[in-house]
Amino acid sequence: MNAVIRQLLPSDKNFMESMHTGIADDYIIRIFDRLCTGNHVLFGYFINNQLVSTAGYTIFGPGLAMLGRLRSDIRYRGHGYSKQLTKYVLDQAFQTKELKWLGANTQADNIPAQKVLNHIHLEKQTAFYGCTAKRLDVLMDKEPGWQEVTQKELKNKLLNTYHIAKKTFFPLECYYPFPSLPELFQNDQIKSWRFFQEEGLPPLITKKDIKKEIYLHAVYPYKDLFDRRGLWETIAAAQKDLQNQCPDEEVHIWIDIPASIINHLPENHPFELGSPWLLYGTDRDTWLNN
């Protein structure tokens, strides 16, 4: 048996297409070229020139990366190939000296992926629901919206006070939460984010994201999510503003709700709820000690 692990290139797409993963219309095949270039790195485990497992990572700003694209050929499962490959990818990622933290995000019902992540000593960090909706009418009480913060210095102060100092998990994009390290927050991104606040209280941050649909991505990872008057009105107003900027597409809402408070949602809530997401991760020091 000839076993080889190597980095995949755009020209390897035919190997990816030949895998039997059981996933219909796998997005990895559709955007394969992108996942092998730029800030994306993809590796493959080959047995006798047959691709049997894939895994890779994406760099998000300096010092932070997210593991993903775990796929296995159902004809070759049960031999530990995915575990071997994922451990190899983890070690390769940390060869970049600037990398401080690497994570992986998977749904709670994806037990095979969790076994792989536990095997490579990634620890569960948090659990949340990626909640989407078209409208928030049922959550609104006609409260006044919050005041927008536009000054760069005040935006940075809010991030330092309510995210970095509080050690929140900040969703940089839909599906991609990270620990709130200073390296996560880049000036070019902060400039495009909108901040809203009631004086002396945690802020709401909204931003545009595209995951097939266009989303107004609302960030408010605090336990008083369902107690803050005017929060939902502020999100709805920001959605309307983004909709005006995108008249040809319907703008949806995405908000990540911690699993610990999801049962506080009212029965008539507008969100689509699936299996919760679990964030796993490790930092450089922990990796060095394993």
Side-chain angles (χ1 to χ4, degrees):
M1 181 183 72
N2 182 26
V4 175
I5 294 177
R6 66 171 175 83
Q7 187 172 340
L8 297 177
L9 303 172
S11 57
D12 291 314
K13 185 176 181 179
N14 60 312
F15 288 108
M16 189 77 218
E17 293 173 330
S18 70
M19 289 182 69
H20 292 186
T21 63
I23 301 174
D25 189 28
D26 192 345
Y27 82 96
I28 287 183
I29 295 176
R30 285 189 274 111
I31 63 171
F32 187 80
D33 290 1
R34 277 191 285 160
L35 298 180
C36 300
T37 56
N39 62 328
H40 305 288
V41 183
L42 189 62
F43 289 87
Y45 195 120
F46 290 83
I47 299 294
N48 298 328
N49 208 37
Q50 170 68 49
L51 182 61
V52 301
S53 183
T54 65
Y57 61 90
T58 299
I59 300 293
F60 288 85
L64 298 161
M66 191 67 76
L67 186 70
R69 285 96 202 192
L70 277 63
R71 296 291 186 270
S72 62
D73 192 310
I74 59 178
R75 298 168 297 180
Y76 293 85
R77 289 177 182 170
H79 299 283
Y81 299 141
S82 293
K83 292 179 180 178
Q84 294 176 50
L85 175 61
T86 309
K87 179 62 167 63
Y88 177 88
V89 172
L90 173 70
D91 293 339
Q92 286 296 305
F94 275 112
Q95 298 310 306
T96 303
K97 294 183 179 179
E98 293 78 15
L99 188 64
K100 294 184 176 181
W101 186 91
L102 181 140
N105 206 23
T106 187
Q107 288 186 285
D109 58 6
N110 191 345
I111 304 302
Q114 293 171 54
K115 289 181 178 179
V116 171
L117 298 177
N118 286 323
H119 175 78
I120 63 172
H121 303 293
L122 265 64
E123 296 183 357
K124 187 165 69 173
Q125 311 273 303
T126 189
F128 62 95
Y129 287 79
C131 299
T132 63
K134 294 183 178 180
R135 298 180 63 87
L136 297 176
D137 302 61
V138 298
L139 297 175
M140 295 163 60
D141 296 313
K142 298 183 179 179
E143 296 285 344
W146 301 353
Q147 183 176 356
E148 184 168 6
V149 174
T150 58
Q151 294 181 335
K152 175 184 175 182
E153 295 78 10
L154 291 178
K155 286 184 174 183
N156 285 321
K157 183 178 180 180
L158 290 174
L159 287 172
N160 284 321
T161 301
Y162 293 103
H163 286 283
I164 296 173
K166 298 292 185 182
K167 298 182 179 180
T168 65
F169 290 95
F170 190 96
L172 193 64
E173 297 179 12
C174 301
Y175 296 117
Y176 293 109
F178 289 89
S180 291
L181 301 175
E183 294 83 1
L184 183 65
F185 303 108
Q186 301 298 301
N187 287 330
D188 57 340
Q189 295 172 320
I190 297 171
K191 184 178 179 180
S192 66
W193 298 348
R194 299 182 70 186
F195 287 62
F196 304 88
Q197 187 193 26
E198 288 184 308
E199 187 174 354
L201 294 172
L204 164 72
I205 298 173
T206 69
K207 45 200 173 70
K208 179 183 178 181
D209 202 350
I210 301 176
K211 296 288 188 288
K212 291 187 179 179
E213 309 285 352
I214 297 178
Y215 289 100
L216 185 283
H217 191 190
V219 180
Y220 191 87
Y222 307 104
K223 292 183 179 180
D224 63 350
L225 174 67
F226 301 111
D227 301 318
R228 293 292 306 277
R229 294 183 179 275
L231 172 62
W232 303 109
E233 286 80 3
T234 308
I235 296 174
Q239 178 196 20
K240 183 178 179 180
D241 291 342
L242 184 56
Q243 183 66 75
N244 290 335
Q245 297 172 29
C246 308
D248 298 327
E249 299 285 344
E250 184 176 18
V251 174
H252 299 244
I253 293 167
W254 182 303
I255 184 168
D256 300 288
I257 299 180
S260 59
I261 63 171
I262 197 68
N263 61 342
H264 293 181
L265 270 173
E267 290 185 3
N268 62 340
H269 69 79
F271 297 115
E272 296 182 15
L273 299 179
S275 176
W277 289 87
L278 307 178
L279 176 65
Y280 287 76
T282 190
D283 57 27
R284 173 171 291 276
D285 290 341
T286 303
W287 169 75
L288 287 171
N289 291 326
N290 283 326

